[in-house]
Amino acid sequence: MNTTKQAIYARNTWYVAASSAEVTDKPLGRQICGERIVFYRALEDKIAAVEDFCPHRGAPLSLGRVCEGKLVCGYHGLEMGCDGKTIAMPGQRVRGFPAIKSYPVEERYGFIWVWPGDKEAADAALIPNLPWHDNPEWAYDGGLFHIKADYRLMIDNLMDLTHETYVHSTSIGQTEIDETPCKTEVLEGNEVVTSRFMENVEAPPFWKMALRSNGLADDVPVDRWQICRFTPPSHVLIEVGVAHAGKGGYEAADEHKVYSMVVDFITPEADGSMWYFWGMARKFNPSDASVTEAIKQGQHKIFSEDLEMLELQQRNLVDYPERQLLKLNIDAGGVQSRRIIERLIALEQSQSTSVTETATA
């Protein structure tokens, strides 16, 4: 009987592993796609990533320190290079020490990106562009949650925002979300877009706060939009905002609206757990730090509600694996996103099988 476990995440792709601020003068250990990796700053502040496993006795290198750009094991002082090869060890010759795995890694847009798959296939040009980074017209802040749930459940959650009416009823939810149909499209380049446009509605509490912070009236009807964009392997960027009704909605001039991009980088830790990097980039009143903090706290509350829901959902799915779930029209964004993930995994597996067969022929 074949008991091989089916892969649930692609590896030949870039994942956000950490924020730049998390990797300072100490190494950071983090599990990504089932692999324990240690991230640290080598010479000239360059980010490096190697397997979190000392070849001497198997100690986690993340419990060590960085000295003159070298990763030093905290157990017996073994010094490791960025390429996974041992450089030195007190009182020992290290020429025959086995190398450990090193990973392609890039620092860009305030994040550390890692490629857990085939190193030869890594291409930094494939890292998505984040145009708001270091742009004075925008402000950004966010956070990180560790969630004990399958990362695909978060993709489902973000590509179907009808849950806002119920899970986030005191902040961003409103009945018009349920009442307004959404549209889902699959675009070239493996992008899935689910959009919803609501006209002449009352702004919910979160958006009333945003209107006030931009000097706009919060007691008048607004047009509201939600445009969710999934791109592989597990990134969801959501254009959100409101404009005073009758001013053009999504296309309204800046003086009539508040416009933001919800940033969601979802990185599998292992089967059944994830790292969730969340934030909001806004294109209104970018210099007001108090607005940035208020939005961050509001998002923290909202995503904490998602965390509780997803972890309990995961528990149910594990306890009742035989139960078949429904697929409704509101699930189209998540369903299409999962199909893209499945295709990428299947492609990787077929390529791996082809390489293995060629090597053994």
Side-chain angles (χ1 to χ4, degrees), residues 308-324:
E308 178 185 27
M309 179 64 73
L310 294 183
E311 290 193 337
L312 294 177
Q313 180 188 10
Q314 175 74 19
R315 186 181 70 179
N316 269 352
L317 294 176
V318 169
D319 289 347
Y320 302 99
E322 75 284 356
R323 301 287 289 268
Q324 295 296 313

Side-chain angles (χ1 to χ4, degrees), residues 25-38:
D25 58 335
K26 297 180 180 180
L28 172 72
R30 185 153 287 166
Q31 190 173 18
I32 306 292
C33 294
E35 301 195 23
R36 292 186 176 90
I37 305 173
V38 56

Side-chain angles (χ1 to χ4, degrees), residues 39-329:
F39 300 87
Y40 65 100
R41 294 191 179 276
L43 293 176
E44 299 180 349
D45 213 33
K46 183 175 176 60
I47 286 291
V50 298
E51 190 178 0
D52 197 5
F53 186 97
C54 178
H56 170 222
R57 300 298 295 170
L61 292 167
S62 55
L63 295 182
R65 59 191 175 90
V66 180
C67 180
E68 297 179 346
K70 294 171 289 187
L71 181 60
V72 182
C73 180
Y75 200 8
H76 296 97
L78 178 144
E79 298 178 2
M80 183 64 60
C82 300
D83 58 359
K85 296 179 180 179
T86 301
I87 298 173
M89 185 174 177
Q92 301 292 327
R93 298 181 65 181
V94 301
R95 181 173 298 178
F97 278 34
I100 60 174
K101 186 176 180 179
S102 62
Y103 297 84
V105 63
E106 294 284 339
E107 184 169 16
R108 193 173 297 182
Y109 311 126
F111 294 106
I112 308 300
W113 303 78
V114 67
W115 182 284
D118 177 9
K119 289 195 291 186
E120 299 301 319
D123 181 358
L126 298 177
I127 295 174
N129 180 42
L130 305 183
W132 59 81
H133 181 69
D134 280 345
N135 186 329
E137 295 183 359
W138 292 77
Y140 176 84
D141 203 352
L144 168 64
F145 283 159
H146 179 250
I147 303 178
K148 296 177 182 178
D150 188 312
Y151 78 106
R152 294 169 296 183
L153 295 182
M154 180 60 82
I155 295 173
D156 295 343
N157 172 280
L158 295 167
M159 293 301 291
D160 168 25
L161 297 183
T162 56
H163 75 275
E164 289 184 354
T165 305
Y166 310 97
V167 181
H168 312 305
S169 59
T170 62
S171 54
I172 55 177
Q174 60 186 128
T175 57
E176 288 86 356
I177 297 176
D178 279 347
E179 297 166 354
T180 306
C182 60
K183 178 183 178 181
T184 295
E185 303 173 277
V186 180
L187 307 181
E188 291 185 12
N190 287 331
E191 181 179 12
V192 181
V193 180
T194 295
S195 56
R196 178 184 283 109
F197 298 90
M198 294 159 275
E199 296 183 353
N200 203 38
V201 300
E202 181 181 358
F206 180 88
W207 287 111
K208 285 185 176 182
M209 179 271 291
L211 286 166
R212 291 193 301 271
S213 71
N214 200 33
L216 295 171
D218 67 350
D219 58 352
V220 298
V222 298
D223 296 332
R224 182 182 179 186
W225 57 90
Q226 301 170 324
I227 307 172
C228 310
R229 301 180 185 274
F230 165 86
T231 55
S234 46
H235 311 324
V236 180
L237 303 180
I238 309 176
E239 294 183 77
V240 292
V242 298
H244 283 173
K247 299 296 184 179
Y250 175 75
E251 302 292 345
D254 288 346
E255 61 264 28
H256 300 302
K257 69 180 180 183
V258 283
Y259 170 82
S260 298
M261 181 77 75
V262 178
V263 178
D264 307 282
F265 294 125
I266 308 145
T267 300
E269 178 188 39
D271 295 7
S273 62
M274 73 180 96
W275 302 103
Y276 176 38
F277 299 86
W278 53 267
M280 178 176 280
R282 76 175 188 278
K283 198 179 181 182
F284 63 91
N285 197 8
S287 61
D288 193 328
S290 65
V291 175
T292 302
E293 181 61 24
I295 289 176
K296 181 179 179 179
Q297 293 304 318
Q299 275 198 300
H300 187 279
K301 176 180 181 297
I302 290 167
F303 292 140
S304 294
E305 295 166 343
D306 284 322
L307 184 155
E308 178 185 27
M309 179 64 73
L310 294 183
E311 290 193 337
L312 294 177
Q313 180 188 10
Q314 175 74 19
R315 186 181 70 179
N316 269 352
L317 294 176
V318 169
D319 289 347
Y320 302 99
E322 75 284 356
R323 301 287 289 268
Q324 295 296 313
L325 304 182
L326 302 178
K327 292 182 175 67
L328 308 179
N329 62 328

